[in-house]
Structures are given as C-alpha cells and as structure tokens.
C-alpha cells in the first residue's frame, strides 16, 4: 500500500500530469496523421526531453507511445489509410462500415475496443507486479543473456516469409553495436582509423534515420495525397459502449495482445492476427468479416492497444525491449538515469507502479479527448503528404543535430534514412536492426559478466530460470523449422498435383 | 507506397518484390567486405580465451550476416524465378530519388552553423516547398512552419543548437537573444 501511495505521489505532480496530458493528446493527434506514427514522434522528441525531469520526460513519451494507436484508427476507418502501421487491420472492417454510412459507429467501437484493450493490459500488469517483483531477482547475467537471445530468435521467426532478411538485419544491428572503442579492453573495432567512429554509432541517430528521416523521404518521393477531410455525421460517444456487446471478442483480443506484448520480438501484428482469426472462426457470421463486421474491428483494436502496456514487462523487469518503440523507451530510461532490470523492481517499485498508473491514466485521457474532439481532429487528414515530409525532415534535424551538434551524425542518419526507404518500400522490417543494436549490447555485456562462472557449456543452463528460457528458445526454433517443413511439403504437394 | 496489405495473411507475411534481390546482393557484399576486414579491424589478445576476445562479437555479427545474407540471396533468386512482383529497376530508381532529398537535408545541415538555425530553417522550408511544387498559401506557410519549429524547440524546449556565424554581425543585445533562443 505504501508503494501505491508513493506511486500516486509521483503521478499527481502537476508537471507529470501536464506531460501525460500533452503526451496522450499529442499521441492521438500524431497517430491520426498517416505517415507520422509514434516511432517518428518519439525519436524526434527524445532529445528535447533530455533537459526535463526524468519522470516528466518519460511520461511525455509514454503518453505518445500509449495513445497513438487510438488516433491511428481514425484515418484507417474514415479514409482506408492506417494512421500507424499496426492499424492496417482496422481498415478491413472499419472502412466498409464507413462506406455503409456507419463511420461514427465504427469509430466509437474502435475507441471502445482500444480502451478495453489498454485497460485490460494495465490491469494484468498491476496484478502481475508482485509476481514480477519476486521473479525478476531470479534473473542473473546468464538468464538475461538467454532472455535477450530469446528476443533475437523471436524477432527473426516472427517475420514469417522474411526470416532470412530479418536475421541478416538483426546481425547487421549487432554489428553496428560493436563499432567503436570496446569498453572492456579499450581496443578499436571497425573504426577504419576514423576518429568519429571511436564513440560508435549512436542508437538515437540510427533510430532517427530509420524512422524519421526515411519516413520523410518516403513521403517526399511519394504521391501527394491528403487534402480531403471526410465528413462525420452522428455521435461517436454513443457507439462507444457498444463494445460491451462484444465482450468475448474484446476479452480475447485484449488477452492475445497482452500475452504477445510480453513476449519480446512478437508485437502487434501477430496479436491482431490471432485475435482476428479467433473472432472470425468463432463468429456466427464469419462471411461478414472484411466487409464491415463490428467484431472484426473490436478484435483488431483491442489486440493492438493492449500490446504497449504489456511490452513494458520485459523492458522494466529485464531491461529487454520487444520492439522498436520499447527499444526507444529503453534509451529514454537510460538517458534519464533509470536503469530497467531486476533491480528496478526490487529498489524502485513505486516508480514501476507509477508507470503502470500513467499508462492507465493516458488511456482515460486519450478516450476523453477522442470522444469530445474527433470531429475537429479530422483536420489533420488535410495535411498534404509532401508538406508533411518536409515538416518531418525539418524536425528530424532538431532530433539529430541537438544530440552532439555533429554534421557527421546527420550524414549517418541520412544514410540510414535511405536504407529505411529501401526497407519500407520492399516491406522488409526495420525493427531487427534496432533490436540487434540494443540486444547485441545487452548480450555482449551479460556474456562477459557471466564468463567467470562458466566452466562448461552446462553452466549456462544450470539454474531453473535459465533452463526454462533455453527450453523456450529450443521450442521456438523447432516450431519454426516444423512450420517451414510443413510449408515446403505443402508447396511440393501442390506443385505435384498441378 | 504499399502500406495496405490486400489479404489478412499479408499483415504478418508481406508480398515479395523483385527488387529485394538488389537489397540481398548489396547486404551480402557488405557482409563479405566486413569479413575480409575482421582481422585488421579488431585486436586479437594473446593468451585470452575466445570468449574474452574483443573481436568475438563483431565476428558473430559478421558470420550471422553472411549466413542469413546467403540464405536471403538464394531465396530471392528462387522467388524471382518462380514469380515475383513489381519492376526492380523502377523500384531502384525510386530509391535514388530519395537521394535528392538526402542532398537537401545535408545542405540544410551545413548551412545552419553559418546562417543560424532560424534563417536556415525558414530558407530550407521555403526552397523545399517551392521545389515540391507548392505555390500561394502553402508556400507562404512553409517558412512560418519553419519558424514555429525553431521557436518550439530552441526557444521553448531549449534544445542544444548553437548560434550561426551570421549572428556575430548583429548588435550585442540582439545577438545574445538570437544565440540563446533562435
């Protein structure tokens, strides 16, 4: 109880509430603009929070992180363009509902499902906090090394059909992490005698390049778009409660998002896919899915919005990010001198609870804002794409240049921007690069600190938690190989019949 | 941009594009180049176990890049032979078009220390908006937007961007204000 009161003390500070308010409202607006998204916004704003109080800076970015998916549903439903990539599934049933003249109903359902998903996930986290506090100290260097390795394996196998490209990009990320002066023996690695490479390549520069600069380039070289503001007739607030008519689907979607969010490297797409598939297969009218089924909308929105809070579990408990946004949040924590990991749960539980409460609060703030201000918010859809690209490029400069006032950082970010354009246009994932940099760093450090206790290979897994993680790694790899074998067999069978 | 998948399965398994072969070849070549540089770009410490060698993790990374890169290359060749989608050359041309805006961005980066953040941003936004074909109201809006970015980030959020060389020519009081806030 004392911990809870201390957490309340933290989040009831006026500056923290203001940061949450700006973050959640800003996050909704950013999510509603197709082509921006939370990754771009967090990457750009990150350096601006360096000078803020740690809790204020964190809650501001947390607000954007947690509320952008709400806003992303608006263009997905009204103009068939997802505001953020993870709102893509929302277009399947949301847009047909708009075409059928049910736009306010679709929006109300989407906001309701997002709210249920977000709050369900936060409730699970709060209930799990005491368990996590007991489990987290069982993670030593070896366990964290294995958990990071599990994250690497998951990020590769989660990209079905692109596992090879994801693997190559993951190892590229690990390689980027190794560039510069190595911290243990102070020897140089792949610096090619260039002084600017001695400090290595900053994660924030790579993030800004891959997410912000590349998105600016994609928008600047793409079609103009934007300009049309759809009309919205009817009340969104009235349809919000309709989500409770689809309790089973909303609960399944929220549970799917929470579980998938906790597993590093999986994220929103898989959780939505599972949730949507379940909703369709258990529906009395599966033929309506993809043609404006409210259950489909509820399944996708409840699943995607329950991921962000759940993704905070491996981040806070082990210091292991599961996707690009939590990787960025990890940087935010480091910058603000908060080191996520088992010690955080042991020594700073009130901070963890404060983060959970902030996540709950931002869901409430985002919902209130949306129920009252969806109509004026539609104005952001009028911003032309190329103009938006220009704005993002201008903002990217602030983010990169303010780090070290280095033109070289800008050139590096520019190069990663071009790489990001290639990857985005080819539909290849950018997440493995970011996770490779972060998880590579964690693995190298934990590997080194584990070595004094390692006499044989068995020592890596001679403790129960390590054995469980190792078994999970083996299981994931075997399941993936089995799925590949079945696919290959199916294709062979198909071509034989043909 | 193909950001809207046509089928549900494409959400977790996007379509293949023929131009992926270009990416596969380039990434494989990069991995191969890095592999040839490993011995000269890392230090081997005598008498230390492999686990303690500073070059171990770059080696793991390069081997991983090579292994997955080779697999990706073979898979791309097979997929392109089987069917594949899109025009590879048109796609490469699109990537190159991004190079023009990289040039704009770098030009902006290099003029900031000379002209100062506010004038550079306003100039950059105006010229880029003109290049993008905006005229009239949108063109007039571009420098205003640039000024707002400067005021928000440097004036209000106090991000660290030094004053430009041009500010030295301003009267003393105005110069201090410009260096600190604009």
């Amino acid at each position: 109880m004392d911990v809870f009161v201390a957490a309340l003390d933290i989040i009831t500070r006026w500056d923290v509430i203001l940061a949450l308010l700006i973050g959640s409202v800003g996050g909704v607006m950013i999510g509603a603009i197709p082509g921006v998204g939370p990754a771009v916004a967090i990457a750009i704003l990150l350096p601006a929070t360096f000078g803020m109080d740690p809790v204020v800076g964190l809650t501001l970015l947390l607000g954007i992180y947690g509320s952008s998916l709400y806003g992303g549903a608006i263009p997905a439903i009204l103009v068939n363009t997802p505001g953020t990539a993870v709102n893509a599934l929302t277009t399947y049933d949301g847009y047909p509902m708009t075409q059928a003249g049910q736009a306010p109903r679709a929006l109300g359902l989407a906001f309701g499902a997002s709210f249920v998903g977000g709050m369900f996930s936060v409730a699970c986290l709060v209930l799990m906090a005491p368990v996590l506090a007991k489990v987290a100290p069982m993670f030593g260097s070896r366990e964290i090394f294995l958990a990071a390795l599990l994250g690497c394996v998951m990020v590769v196998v989660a990209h079905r059909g692109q596992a090879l490209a994801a693997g190559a990009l993951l190892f590229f990320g690990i390689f980027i992490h190794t560039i510069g002066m190595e911290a243990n023996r102070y020897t140089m690695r792949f610096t090619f005698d260039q002084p600017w490479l001695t400090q290595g390549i900053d994660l924030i520069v790579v993030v800004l390049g891959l997410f912000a600069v590349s998105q600016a380039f994609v928008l600047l070289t793409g079609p103009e778009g934007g300009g049309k503001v759809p009309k919205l007739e009817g009340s969104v607030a009235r349809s919000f409660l309709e989500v409770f008519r689809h309790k089973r689907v909303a609960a399944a979607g929220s549970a799917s998002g929470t579980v998938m969010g906790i597993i590093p490297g999986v994220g929103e797409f898989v959780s939505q896919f599972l949730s949507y598939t379940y909703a369709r297969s258990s529906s009395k009218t599966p033929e309506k899915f993809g043609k404006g089924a409210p259950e489909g909308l509820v399944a996708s929105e409840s699943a995607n919005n329950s991921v962000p809070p759940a993704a905070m579990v491996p981040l806070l408990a082990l210091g292991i990010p599961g996707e690009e946004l939590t990787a960025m949040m990890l940087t935010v924590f480091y910058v603000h001198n908060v080191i996520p990991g088992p010690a955080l749960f042991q020594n700073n539980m009130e901070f963890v609870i404060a983060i959970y409460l902030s996540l709950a609060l931002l869901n409430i703030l985002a919902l209130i804002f949306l129920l009252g201000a969806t109509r004026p918010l539609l104005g952001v859809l009028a911003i032309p794409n190329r103009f938006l690209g220009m704005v993002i490029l201008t903002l990217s400069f602030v983010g990169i240049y303010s780090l070290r006032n280095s033109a070289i950082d800008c050139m590096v970010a520019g190069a990663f921007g071009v790489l990001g354009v290639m990857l985005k246009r080819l539909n290849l994932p950018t997440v493995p690069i970011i996770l490779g940099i972060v998880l590579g760093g964690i693995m190298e450090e934990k590997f080194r600190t584990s070595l004094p206790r390692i006499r044989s290979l068995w020592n890596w897994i001679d403790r129960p938690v390590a054995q469980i993680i190792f078994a999970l790694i083996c299981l994931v790899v075997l399941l993936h190989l089995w799925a590949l074998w079945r696919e290959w067999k199916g294709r062979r069978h198909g071509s034989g019949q043909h | 941009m193909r950001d809207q998948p046509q089928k549900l399965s494409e959400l977790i398994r996007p379509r293949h594009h023929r131009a992926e072969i270009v990416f596969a070849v380039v990434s494989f070549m990069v991995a191969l180049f890095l592999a040839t540089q490993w011995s000269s770009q890392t230090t081997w410490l005598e008498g230390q176990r492999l686990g303690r060698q500073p070059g171990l993790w770059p080696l793991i990374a390069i081997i991983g890049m090579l292994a997955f890169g080779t697999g990706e290359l073979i898979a791309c060749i097979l997929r392109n032979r089987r069917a594949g989608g899109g025009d590879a050359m048109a796609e490469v041309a699109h990537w190159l078009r991004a190079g023009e805006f990289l040039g704009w961005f770098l030009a902006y980066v290099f003029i900031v220390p000379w002209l100062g953040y506010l004038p550079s941003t306003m100039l950059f936004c105006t010229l880029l908006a003109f290049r993008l074909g905006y005229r009239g109201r949108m063109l007039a809006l571009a420098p205003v937007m640039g000024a707002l970015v400067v005021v928000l980030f440097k004036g209000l959020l106090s991000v660290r961007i030094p004053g430009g060389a041009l500010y030295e020519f301003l009267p003393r009081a105005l110069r201090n204000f410009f260096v600190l806030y604009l």
Side-chain angles (χ1 to χ4, degrees):
Chain A
M1 196 62 195
D2 290 346
V3 173
F4 193 77
V5 173
L8 271 180
D9 266 352
I10 296 174
I11 64 156
T12 47
R13 275 171 43 188
W14 72 268
D15 48 354
V16 175
I17 290 176
L18 186 67
L20 254 183
L21 190 68
I22 295 172
S24 49
V25 170
V28 169
M29 292 171 74
I30 285 160
I33 307 172
V36 182
V40 175
I42 292 176
I44 289 169
L45 279 174
L46 180 59
T49 66
F50 289 177
M52 295 178 186
D53 185 89
V55 185
V56 177
L58 278 171
T59 42
L60 176 72
L61 298 178
L62 207 60
I64 294 171
Y65 174 47
S67 61
S68 56
L69 301 186
Y70 278 93
I74 297 173
I77 289 168
L78 297 181
V79 290
N80 203 24
T81 306
T84 70
V86 293
N87 293 107
L89 190 56
T90 308
T91 60
Y92 280 61
D93 292 290
Y95 188 61
M97 285 178 82
T98 298
Q99 285 177 312
Q102 298 179 347
R105 185 181 172 214
L107 286 171
L109 270 171
F111 298 156
S114 294
F115 183 72
V116 169
M119 294 307 272
F120 178 93
S121 188
V122 173
C124 288
L125 296 190
V126 173
L127 292 174
M128 277 164 61
V131 182
L132 281 172
K134 281 186 185 157
V135 173
M138 293 178 190
F139 281 75
S141 295
R142 279 168 278 180
E143 286 79 9
I144 293 181
F145 170 80
L146 286 169
L149 185 61
L150 175 65
C152 288
V153 173
M154 289 302 298
V155 82
V156 173
V157 301
H159 289 96
R160 286 196 66 192
Q162 297 182 319
L164 291 167
L169 292 167
L170 176 86
F171 280 104
F172 177 56
I174 296 175
F175 175 77
I176 292 171
H177 145 74
T178 66
I179 295 173
M181 187 192 284
E182 161 273 330
N184 206 36
R185 303 273 170 172
Y186 305 110
T187 63
M188 296 297 170
R189 301 191 294 198
F190 284 91
T191 53
F192 296 97
D193 296 326
Q194 299 296 312
W196 62 273
L197 277 174
T198 309
Q199 290 181 38
I201 296 178
D202 196 300
L203 172 69
I204 300 173
V205 173
V206 180
V207 165
L208 277 159
L210 276 178
F211 292 100
V213 178
S214 73
Q215 191 58 28
F217 290 162
V218 166
L219 292 170
L220 286 165
T221 54
E224 182 63 319
K228 281 184 206 159
V229 182
K231 278 185 187 165
L232 188 63
E233 284 160 8
S235 168
V236 174
R238 222 173 285 153
S239 314
F240 159 69
L241 292 174
E242 198 189 325
V243 72
F244 295 106
R245 274 190 227 156
H246 307 284
K247 285 192 277 287
R248 184 183 47 82
V249 176
S254 308
S256 156
T258 306
V259 174
M260 293 301 144
I262 291 173
I263 304 171
V266 181
E268 288 94 346
F269 290 111
V270 179
S271 73
Q272 285 183 93
F273 184 78
L274 292 176
S275 164
Y276 195 85
T277 309
Y278 165 76
R280 187 167 56 182
S281 61
S282 64
S283 170
K284 287 174 188 161
T285 52
E287 72 283 355
K288 284 190 182 166
F289 277 69
K291 293 170 190 160
E295 296 142 288
L297 194 57
V298 171
S300 98
E301 281 297 308
S302 57
N304 71 29
N305 211 42
S306 51
V307 171
M312 298 303 281
V313 169
L315 182 70
L316 291 172
L318 306 175
I320 292 174
E323 28 87 343
E324 79 269 25
L325 287 173
T326 37
M328 270 187 249
M329 292 307 292
L330 182 67
T331 317
V332 177
F333 283 120
Y334 279 142
V335 165
H336 291 295
N337 258 336
V338 177
I339 312 297
L344 189 69
F345 272 75
Q346 279 177 305
N347 311 327
N348 214 348
M349 194 60 180
E350 66 276 12
F351 178 80
V352 176
I353 298 289
I355 293 220
Y356 290 170
L357 292 176
S358 305
L359 284 165
L361 203 57
L362 73 88
N363 272 287
I364 297 168
L365 290 172
L367 184 74
I368 293 171
F369 174 69
L370 276 168
L371 292 181
T374 301
R375 209 160 277 121
L377 190 61
L378 298 183
V380 297
L381 296 175
I383 305 172
N385 282 352
R386 290 186 191 167
F387 197 85
L388 197 61
M390 183 186 78
V391 176
I392 294 176
L393 202 58
T394 313
L395 291 170
S396 303
F397 168 80
V398 193
I400 306 159
Y401 199 71
S402 63
L403 285 173
R404 302 190 275 211
N405 294 152
S406 160
I408 289 174
D409 279 349
C410 296
M411 285 193 248
V412 173
F416 275 99
V418 176
L419 174 66
V421 171
M422 287 168 65
L423 296 177
K424 281 177 183 172
R425 300 262 322 162
L426 294 174
N427 276 327
L428 290 173
T430 46
V431 186
I433 301 179
I434 304 299
L435 286 187
I437 299 174
V438 177
L439 297 180
I442 293 169
M443 285 198 295
E444 181 173 9
E445 189 201 327
K446 298 299 173 190
F447 180 82
R448 213 167 259 161
T449 49
S450 302
L451 277 182
R453 296 177 203 94
I454 302 296
R455 297 282 172 268
S456 69
L457 280 176
W458 168 249
N459 292 137
W460 282 104
I461 50 167
D462 61 1
R463 295 199 294 197
V465 175
Q467 285 164 0
I468 293 169
I469 303 171
F470 183 70
L472 279 174
I473 294 172
C474 294
L475 184 72
V476 168
V477 173
L478 286 175
L479 281 175
H480 183 68
L481 292 176
W482 185 61
L484 285 180
W485 182 76
R486 271 174 60 111
E487 201 176 288
W488 177 77
K489 210 175 136 189
R491 202 181 294 147
R492 231 179 124 198
H493 184 67
S495 63
Q497 272 187 340
H498 181 70
Chain B
M1 214 173 111
R2 294 167 293 115
D3 54 0
Q4 277 172 272
Q6 300 302 307
K7 292 178 192 163
L8 182 60
S9 59
E10 283 176 20
L11 263 183
I12 55 168
R13 192 175 186 153
R15 273 176 290 178
H16 170 71
H17 194 293
R18 291 187 75 83
E20 205 175 312
I21 188 85
V22 182
F23 167 77
V25 170
V26 172
S27 56
F28 179 75
M29 299 292 278
V30 169
L32 209 59
F33 169 74
L34 293 174
T36 62
Q37 300 297 305
W38 179 79
S39 59
S40 62
Q41 291 300 321
T42 57
T43 311
W44 185 262
L45 300 173
E46 290 299 328
Q48 291 286 346
R49 285 159 60 184
L50 180 66
R52 292 185 190 281
Q53 290 295 338
L56 173 67
W57 283 87
L59 183 65
I60 291 172
I62 292 168
I63 290 173
M65 284 166 73
L66 272 176
F68 279 95
T70 309
E72 166 73 356
L73 190 58
I74 295 168
C76 275
I77 293 169
L78 291 177
R79 281 188 210 136
N80 278 8
R81 201 179 286 171
R82 209 181 299 142
D87 179 356
M89 290 317 290
E91 187 56 34
V92 173
H94 195 106
W95 301 344
L96 293 175
R97 278 221 302 279
E100 182 205 335
F101 296 102
L102 176 64
W104 277 87
F105 180 63
L106 294 181
Y108 174 42
V109 169
F110 286 108
I111 61 164
V112 168
W114 296 99
L115 290 186
Y117 187 31
L118 179 72
S120 309
T121 307
M122 290 177 72
L123 185 70
F124 170 73
C125 289
T126 312
L127 293 178
L128 187 54
F130 189 83
R131 156 67 186 86
L132 292 172
Y134 293 113
R135 302 289 183 271
R137 200 167 61 95
M138 291 304 278
L139 185 62
L141 203 64
V144 177
M145 195 282 307
L148 281 175
V149 169
V150 174
V151 171
L152 175 68
F153 280 87
K154 194 169 176 188
L156 298 176
L157 294 171
S158 309
V159 296
R160 290 177 305 161
I161 295 180
L166 199 70
Y167 291 177
E168 295 299 320
F169 297 101
L170 293 168
R172 192 181 173 83
L174 203 59
R175 186 180 65 114
N176 288 347
F177 178 78
F178 264 65
V179 169
L180 282 176
Y181 301 109
L182 303 171

